[in-house]
Every structure is written in structure tokens, then in C-alpha cells.
Amino acid sequence: MNASEPAAEPGSTPDARPPVIGLTTYLEQSQTGVWDVRAAFLPQSYFEAVTRAGGIAVLLPPQPVSPVIAARVLDALDGLIITGGKDVDPARYGQDAHPATDEPRPDRDAWEDELLRQALARGLPFLGICRGAQMLNIALGGTLHQHLPDVVGDTRYQAGGGIFNVVDVEVEPESRLHGVLGAQAGPLQVPVYHHQSIDRVADGLVVTARTADGVVQAVEFGSVPFGVAVQWHPEQTAEDIRLFAGLVDAAREYEHDRKAHA
């Protein structure tokens, strides 16, 4: 699918069976009208990209988790997106918290960790976005740089104030990521908003994109048909849904194969 090419409406043909894509969410104190309560939420740009790519978006808020609960959830999905959000608890990769690291969200960390582990085990197509890439690396035994300004010397990756910077990323030519994005001359320009990044890459992951200063911007898990995680925010570029379309296509094949072997 080209960046400018609109996706077909889900269910627009008799044989169409849109794949179901689960997206993890925030769980934070939130205000709306007279209410000020803890609430699960996700920016519309995430699930709108899924529906434009031809999938059905289902939100997965943090909740008590066990292997049985995670398996029951994943049984109903054809694809999974681990979305952006607060920093992962550094205790999960054996470090004390940096002063700039967010207050831990153990409920979300545990929820996404179990979903990811089981998704990998069953070959479920998945896409990690920002925190999602970091969560994947940690789940498989890798570590993070907790505060990139200590590494690169400035705030080029997170300007603050909700402003996304645009950086140039070099994509490995033989990667699945390159295949999804298609051939293009020169680096890929992507929107970023992260003050952490992958440090030690976990076993089983391959780095498939970096910025010129060496910061990891994408990894892939080659043991599944579609296992891509990017440090940038593709949902912020509404005109370019190629990553979401790649996931939805893989999810459609997964669902078809599951039906065939049922």
C-alpha cells in the first residue's frame, strides 16, 4: 500500500474479513467534564491508523494478568500493537532509576510483558511503537539507556512540551522494515519523542534502523512472520500508514492460516 493510497473500507467486499488488532493503552489519572479518575485511554491516532489500514482496533487496558488471561486475550487477536507511553521500570532490566525516569507503572509493565512473551511464542504478528520497542527488548533480556541526553549530549529525541522532532533514520536494506516501507532514496524521516532507547540488544532481536549517532531506532524478531518494533511514532504521520498496513496484512494471513488449521 502506498503512503497516499487510501485503505479499502473494512468489510467492503463479500470475502473481506478484517483482522482484529489489539492495542495496549495507558492507565492514568484523567479529567473529562466533572470527572477526575484513573482511566484507560489511547490517542485516536493509533487506532485510526489501524482502521485505515483495514483492521479492527481493540483496546487492551492494563489489568491483572496471568498466563491464562493473556492466552485468552491473544486467542481473540490476529495482531498486537504495544504502544507508546511511560518509561518501563528499570528494575526489570537490573538498574536503579535515573532521576529523569518516570515513576514505575508495574501494572502496565506486567500486562505487556506477558502479552509479548505469548505473542512471540505463538507467532502472532506484532508492532512495537516507542515504549513498545523498549518493552520488547527488555522482555527478551536487553537493557536501555535511561536518559539519552546523557549519551548524545542534547534533547534532539525529546524536545518536550508534546512537540515531536523529526530525525533521519537509516533502514537496513535486507530487513522486513525496509520491505514494508518500500525502496526510497536516502534516509527515512520519522517523528520522535523519546528520552530513552535500546542499549544492549536482546538475543533474538536484530537492529534494522539507526540514526547517524548510533541510536537504535528499530529492531525485528525474525522468528515470527511480522515482528517489528520502532522507536519512532508512525501514528503521527497520518498520510503514511505503511507500517500499520504491513501489520494488518500479516494479521490477515495469520487469521487465514489459523482458520485453515482449525
Side-chain angles (χ1 to χ4, degrees):
M1 178 180 296
N2 294 328
S4 59
E5 180 180 307
E9 287 295 324
S12 60
T13 65
D15 296 329
R17 183 180 169 91
V20 178
I21 310 297
L23 301 95
T24 58
T25 77
Y26 297 72
L27 180 59
E28 302 288 340
Q29 197 70 20
S30 181
Q31 287 185 304
T32 176
V34 299
W35 307 109
D36 185 1
V37 296
R38 281 177 63 78
F41 66 92
L42 188 70
Q44 181 181 359
S45 54
Y46 282 99
F47 53 85
E48 190 173 67
V50 170
T51 58
R52 287 185 60 227
I56 300 170
V58 175
L59 302 189
L60 307 174
Q63 56 196 280
V65 67
S66 69
V68 172
I69 290 171
R72 183 72 181 89
V73 170
L74 295 177
D75 285 345
L77 300 180
D78 305 310
L80 176 67
I81 298 177
I82 306 295
T83 62
K86 297 286 188 177
D87 299 333
V88 181
D89 186 352
R92 284 188 167 267
Y93 48 97
Q95 294 183 11
D96 295 329
H98 186 283
T101 296
D102 294 329
E103 190 71 21
R105 299 299 193 276
D107 52 353
R108 184 174 181 185
D109 291 349
W111 175 239
E112 293 182 345
D113 180 83
E114 187 64 36
L115 290 175
L116 263 175
R117 290 176 186 276
Q118 291 202 33
L120 296 177
R122 63 176 65 196
L124 184 75
F126 72 87
L127 172 63
I129 295 176
C130 196
R131 169 192 160 93
Q134 297 167 7
M135 193 73 228
L136 173 65
N137 190 56
I138 294 165
L140 294 175
T143 65
L144 302 183
H145 293 297
Q146 286 193 54
H147 194 52
L148 268 179
D150 294 344
V151 179
V152 301
D154 56 43
T155 59
R156 74 191 74 169
Y157 294 107
Q158 189 182 79
I163 304 300
F164 287 83
N165 275 351
V166 174
V167 300
D168 289 344
V169 170
E170 294 287 351
V171 178
E172 291 295 328
E174 301 302 319
S175 64
R176 176 173 289 276
L177 179 62
H178 187 272
V180 169
L181 297 175
Q184 72 173 65
L188 178 70
Q189 291 191 320
V190 299
V192 293
Y193 198 87
H194 61 96
H195 81 109
Q196 299 191 337
S197 71
I198 291 173
D199 182 10
R200 187 181 75 246
V201 180
D203 292 343
L205 294 182
V206 176
V207 176
T208 54
R210 294 182 187 268
T211 42
D213 53 16
V215 171
V216 174
Q217 287 290 335
V219 290
E220 295 181 14
F221 187 77
S223 299
V224 299
F226 190 97
V228 176
V230 298
Q231 185 63 75
W232 67 86
H233 283 270
E235 80 284 357
Q236 290 299 312
T237 52
E239 73 281 1
D240 184 355
I241 59 170
R242 288 175 293 178
L243 274 173
F244 295 95
L247 174 68
V248 167
D249 287 346
R252 188 176 290 110
E253 292 180 12
Y254 177 88
E255 193 270 344
H256 179 269
D257 291 344
R258 182 168 56 179
K259 276 182 59 182
H261 293 94

